[in-house]
Amino acid sequence: MKEFELIEYYFRNKGQKRRDVELSIGDDCALVCPADNKSIAISCDTLVENVHFLADIPAHALGYKSLAVNLSDLAAMGAEPAWFTLALTLPSVDEPWLASFSEGLFEIAEYYAIALIGGDTTRGPRSISITINGQVIKGTALTRAGAKNGDWIYVTGTLGDSALGLDILRGAKTVKTEDKEFLINRHYYPTPRVLAGQALRSLATSAIDLSDGLMSDIRHVLKASKVGAIIDVNQIPLSASLKANLSREDALSYALTGGEDYELLFTVPESQRGAIDTALIHAGVKFVKIGQICAGDKLKLIDDGKPFVPVSRSFEHF
Ligand code: ADP
Ligand code: MG
């Protein structure tokens, strides 16, 4: 199968058609027509085999996840996803693999009504690079830089599940049979908080998506906003599956330092606290207050008033 056939079979004329796409796959460039009064939000994420995903990841999950992680960046800015390009590097043409990859990719693309408008296909070690474009009304995008002393800190969803899912897949942890699928799916199929991000636009002072782990990602907000933070580890949202399989210390360690949750962390002034409840109910996502922004530049973790130090995550080999 030649490159153009591969594109034709698995990527062209698939998924969402959008009226703002003037010219899609097939020419030297795609042409899109952004709406008036909107800024274009652009982000790129690359997933490399054995660095960002295990070689045996199901192709469907990889297709889904490659786009989900990019959508998560748009969510963190409060942008509405619109178009994306796909740079695909593969060691060989494996048609069942491509069919399944394309299915996973377009499943999430259709859900968010976004269009694949171009890309590049090359031979080499397996990697997937997606550039996503979204739109946001000028001047309203959420950034990492707006958190103010006194703002409350919130996160969506539950934290740590994806990192535990990865450790199950690696054979580094075992969990109860009834929790295994949930945890692995949290790793393979993260839910980008796209609607929540848009709902937060006029309410939150800053936002970031949690890709590397809470403790590492919140520092980007603190640095950009020139503030410090206090987090109460008792408020960190943990799933029933995480709690059922780990000690409290281990569960908090996964939640604070585990990556790839793709939940949102955001800050809200006291004056907007009530409005957040109403706004996020419509986005259908759970969220919880975990701490407060303070003066300075430090991140402090507290547990019943005492300083808290997360344990380093241990691996169980068997
Ligand atoms: P060029 O040589 O100009 O880079 P290509 O032959 O690489 O053109 O691509 C032909 C068309 O197919 C272009 O419109 C390009 O955007 C699109 N395309 C290539 N690879 C992919 C892909 N993996 N997914 C979607 N579109 C692709
Ligand atoms: Mg090309």
Side-chain angles (χ1 to χ4, degrees), residues 205-220:
T205 49
S206 73
I208 189 167
D209 69 318
L210 299 178
S211 51
D212 297 335
L214 172 64
M215 284 183 71
S216 141
D217 289 321
I218 194 176
R219 289 183 212 275
H220 299 308

Side-chain angles (χ1 to χ4, degrees), residues 169 264 317:
L169 290 165
L264 294 181
H317 293 287

Side-chain angles (χ1 to χ4, degrees), residues 3 7 11 25-28 86 88 116 118-121:
E3 180 190 336
I7 298 162
F11 299 109
I25 295 171
D27 214 304
D28 292 315
L86 166 69
L88 194 56
L116 176 62
D120 198 25
T121 308

Side-chain angles (χ1 to χ4, degrees), residues 255-272:
L256 288 164
T257 66
E260 300 200 84
D261 286 316
Y262 299 104
E263 296 294 348
L264 294 181
L265 179 143
F266 55 96
T267 55
V268 176
E270 174 65 24
S271 59
Q272 302 288 11

Side-chain angles (χ1 to χ4, degrees), residues 163-176:
L164 182 53
L166 176 61
D167 278 353
I168 298 167
L169 290 165
R170 274 184 189 148
K173 280 269 176 202
T174 43
V175 297
K176 294 177 183 158

Side-chain angles (χ1 to χ4, degrees), residues 281-297:
I281 281 170
H282 297 291
V285 60
K286 290 213 170 77
F287 63 99
V288 61
K289 178 163 77 63
I290 59 163
Q292 193 168 23
I293 296 294
C294 59
D297 58 4

